Amino acid sequence: MIPAGKYVARAQSAEFGVSGQKGTDQVVVTFTIQDGEHKGDVIDWYGFFTEKTGQRTVDSLRYCGCTFPGDDVFDLAGLGTKDVQIVIEHEEYKGQTKARVQWVNELGAGLKPMEAASKVGFRERMKATLLLSKQTRPALTEAEAEDDIPPWGKAS
């Protein structure tokens, strides 16, 4: 089983269908992991087309390279032309734990450097937060400062 985590992957194929339980329109995309210890491993992602999830499913397909010529959802031209980041989590179903793709994200869409102008405004917005944290958090003793978890973060 592929461990939970984030992986660079590439779509290999896709198929449209309907889920057996609720009759929800869906697409199943088969991904191949592109690097690391699990390079070459294959895993499927199930994208659903409901009112709440349809846009995210289309976005995920676009991240994989789909261009949808003629605005035709069934025309997956470009699928597999871009690497993506998949997020795998483990789920238990009917007593068995399985690896499942929870998210398909655009590669490199994570943290973007903050521009100098943005830093000025951010600094000003954070001053109140920093002042408040001084007032509401007790000062740490030397022993507590060496601990990984401050006393207010520990379970009682």
Side-chain angles (χ1 to χ4, degrees):
M1 179 170 29
I2 301 170
K6 297 175 182 179
Y7 299 88
V8 175
R10 186 169 286 228
Q12 300 303 311
S13 62
E15 185 174 338
F16 287 91
V18 178
S19 70
Q21 293 178 350
K22 296 182 181 179
T24 304
D25 297 324
Q26 66 181 355
V27 63
V28 180
V29 179
T30 301
F31 286 98
T32 302
I33 295 176
Q34 298 297 300
D35 61 2
E37 180 181 341
H38 292 278
K39 182 177 182 174
D41 285 359
V42 174
I43 189 166
D44 290 333
W45 167 69
Y46 295 82
F48 296 92
F49 295 96
T50 67
E51 189 175 316
K52 291 182 180 181
T53 63
Q55 184 61 55
R56 180 65 167 119
T57 298
V58 168
D59 290 346
S60 296
L61 291 168
R62 286 189 192 282
Y63 300 152
C64 295
C66 291
T67 58
F68 301 110
D71 294 324
D72 180 357
V73 72
F74 293 111
D75 190 342
L76 299 178
L79 179 75
T81 58
K82 294 181 179 179
D83 286 343
V84 294
Q85 178 189 67
I86 58 172
V87 178
I88 295 177
E89 295 178 2
H90 291 169
E91 285 187 353
E92 188 172 324
Y93 181 70
K94 294 185 178 182
Q96 292 186 329
T97 301
K98 295 184 177 187
R100 181 173 171 170
V101 177
Q102 293 293 334
W103 299 102
V104 177
N105 298 320
E106 187 175 21
L107 195 60
L111 183 67
K112 295 178 182 172
M114 192 180 290
E115 295 179 14
S118 297
K119 286 182 178 181
V120 172
F122 179 69
R123 177 180 284 121
E124 291 305 312
R125 290 191 311 274
M126 291 306 298
K127 279 185 180 181
T129 301
L130 293 171
L131 288 172
L132 182 62
S133 73
K134 281 184 186 178
Q135 296 168 3
T136 60
R137 297 282 190 230
L140 297 178
T141 66
E142 189 174 324
E144 291 170 333
E146 292 177 5
D147 194 357
D148 285 343
I149 304 172
W152 58 81
K154 293 181 180 177
S156 303

